[in-house]
Amino acid sequence: MSGHQTKACYVCGNHQGNRLRYPREMMFGTEEKFEYLECDYCACLQITDTPTDLGRYYAGDYYSYKVPKEKNYPPWLLKLRKKRTRALLGERDAVGSLMARLSKHRAEHFDWLSRAGVRLDSAILDVGCGSGSLLRQMQRDGFSDLLGVDPFLEHDTDYGYGLKILKRRIGDLDRRFDFIMLNHSFEHMPDPRQVLLELRTILSNSGTLLLRVPVADSYARRKYGIHWVAWDAPRHLFLHTVRSMHLLAQQTGFDVIDVTYDSSRLQFYGSELYLRGIPFKNQKPYAPGKGPKAFTQQEWDCFAQLASELNIYRDGDTACFFLSPIPTPTGLYSA
Ligand SMILES: [Zn+2]
């Protein structure tokens, strides 16, 4: 195959030896086939024709838009949570440190927030926030300047106390942020280079951009091929690799300063079930204890153990890319 002229890669422009792949829609199980190009140079997977009616593939029960249950927390508990947050962000707080040690499970977002140098009063933007459940959790953790944007929301919501969720595009924003995060939204965007250029203009020069995405150069992608659960055709338009993310960053005025892996057992159970033709929406009965078809607890634990080992070996199927802006006095990288 290698050597012949093929359609060019969106990221690196390579047009030699690129291959075509045909995964199916498996979240809802329509099994509709989509064409993706796999770049021979940067290995990024990309849909060759973005469906014009993408909204059709985000049905009302699409998981990001489910409004989570509201809980009411008493003020004394919120004060203690704020102390815990300080400690988890690396600030000195004796009570908070004790609380952090006593907490049964550490919320994973603190792993990235502390890595990104975020503080309680940082201006934080969540792009593609869905219903905003993470931001609402962060509000309860004591963060005071939180904005979420998502063009697919039905309406704006002002939760008060420093949290707003707006139906907006990135280009509509006219203020700067210390920390911008895209939690599994970047791979849904049809023009990621333009997105990075726009983000570059609203991120402060000392700020951090976090892109949490599925990665195509991973064990699960190699093992399961087109049945890899995180491929998620046609919603995931780009499945990046470490190389393609570095290239995109270079083209848009960013440095990739760190990559950490945060894959979960989903890469195994979801892909195993896709191999058997079972769509994501029908996968609930396969959790241990849910009935005769379920995985055993031993298999379930093994999936999680394998995921954490792959993360250590930098081969898990999801990763956190931390980007910092390269200062440009002339505004060279303006969108
Ligand atoms: Zn490429």
Side-chain angles (χ1 to χ4, degrees):
M1 289 286 284
S2 176
H4 75 278
Q5 196 88 351
T6 46
K7 191 176 174 187
C9 169
Y10 168 92
V11 178
C12 71
N14 172 57
H15 50 73
Q16 300 285 319
N18 297 337
R19 274 151 287 206
L20 296 174
R21 309 286 183 204
Y22 297 92
R24 290 173 185 274
E25 197 291 320
M26 287 298 288
M27 177 175 283
F28 301 110
T30 67
E31 302 203 16
E32 195 181 337
K33 208 193 262 185
F34 293 92
E35 186 181 86
Y36 281 69
L37 180 138
E38 179 174 6
C39 177
D40 192 52
Y41 177 71
C42 73
C44 175
L45 300 168
Q46 51 213 269
I47 201 159
T48 56
D49 284 306
T50 302
T52 48
D53 54 347
L54 256 183
R56 189 159 75 80
Y57 301 96
Y58 293 87
D61 57 347
Y62 186 71
Y63 57 87
S64 290
Y65 296 96
K66 279 187 182 165
V67 177
K69 280 182 203 152
E70 279 292 352
K71 285 185 201 165
N72 281 319
Y73 290 85
W76 62 267
L77 184 58
L78 291 173
K79 258 187 192 168
L80 281 176
R81 275 181 78 135
K82 198 166 176 176
K83 284 180 165 295
R84 187 186 67 154
T85 299
R86 279 208 180 89
L88 289 171
L89 293 177
E91 294 175 35
R92 286 169 68 90
D93 190 306
V95 175
S97 300
L98 181 66
M99 284 191 62
R101 280 202 299 276
L102 293 176
S103 295
K104 272 194 194 123
H105 48 260
R106 175 190 159 104
E108 67 165 346
H109 57 272
F110 284 111
D111 292 338
W112 356 297
L113 296 175
S114 57
R115 172 65 192 85
V118 173
R119 299 167 54 87
L120 276 163
D121 60 354
S122 295
I124 297 171
L125 173 67
D126 185 354
V127 176
C129 62
S131 62
S133 59
L134 172 62
L135 289 174
R136 288 202 274 172
Q137 197 178 335
M138 289 176 67
Q139 184 187 40
R140 292 193 294 268
D141 288 333
F143 293 93
S144 58
D145 188 353
L146 301 164
L147 177 65
V149 290
D150 198 315
F152 298 107
L153 292 174
E154 281 176 9
H155 51 78
D156 294 351
T157 310
D158 185 348
Y159 287 94
Y161 304 100
L163 170 60
K164 282 182 188 167
I165 306 283
L166 305 178
K167 179 180 171 64
R168 295 277 191 292
R169 295 184 180 278
I170 303 162
D172 302 332
L173 300 171
D174 57 1
R175 58 172 288 205
R176 288 197 175 229
F177 297 88
D178 304 311
F179 177 63
I180 301 178
M181 55 184 172
L182 283 74
N183 292 296
H184 292 277
S185 58
F186 191 55
E187 62 270 32
H188 297 257
M189 299 174 175
D191 193 354
R193 186 179 298 108
Q194 180 63 22
V195 168
L196 290 184
L197 287 169
E198 289 178 0
L199 291 175
R200 178 71 184 75
T201 66
I202 56 166
L203 182 64
S204 75
N205 284 333
S206 57
T208 303
L209 169 64
L210 168 64
L211 303 169
R212 296 180 62 229
V213 290
V215 279
D217 46 348
S218 58
Y219 175 83
R221 149 75 177 131
R222 293 191 299 277
K223 180 175 167 68
Y224 295 106
I226 58 163
H227 303 289
W228 172 42
V229 67
W231 199 318
D232 199 21
R235 285 162 292 273
H236 290 177
L237 307 174
F238 289 87
L239 289 307
H240 282 286
T241 63
V242 172
R243 179 178 268 186
S244 68
M245 288 294 278
H246 273 271
L247 288 167
L248 264 189
Q250 275 170 20
Q251 294 162 6
T252 52
F254 287 100
D255 261 337
V256 177
I257 52 169
D258 200 4
V259 184
T260 61
Y261 288 76
D262 63 348
S263 74
S264 71
R265 61 159 67 91
L266 171 65
Q267 69 196 299
F268 292 107
Y269 78 79
S271 305
E272 287 289 334
L273 293 174
Y274 278 8
L275 266 179
R276 296 187 216 164
I278 296 154
F280 191 78
K281 72 173 172 71
N282 296 342
Q283 291 190 357
K284 274 200 181 122
Y286 293 86
K290 296 282 182 186
K293 301 178 194 167
F295 289 111
T296 65
Q297 188 62 48
Q298 196 183 9
E299 286 170 319
W300 203 245
D301 294 344
C302 184
F303 292 155
Q305 177 66 26
L306 280 171
S308 55
E309 284 173 20
L310 288 173
N311 292 339
I312 292 166
Y313 289 108
R314 311 182 69 74
D315 209 9
D317 78 336
T318 57
C320 308
F321 290 81
F322 295 87
L323 278 65
S324 70
I326 302 168
T328 51
T330 57
L332 183 66
Y333 291 105
S334 60

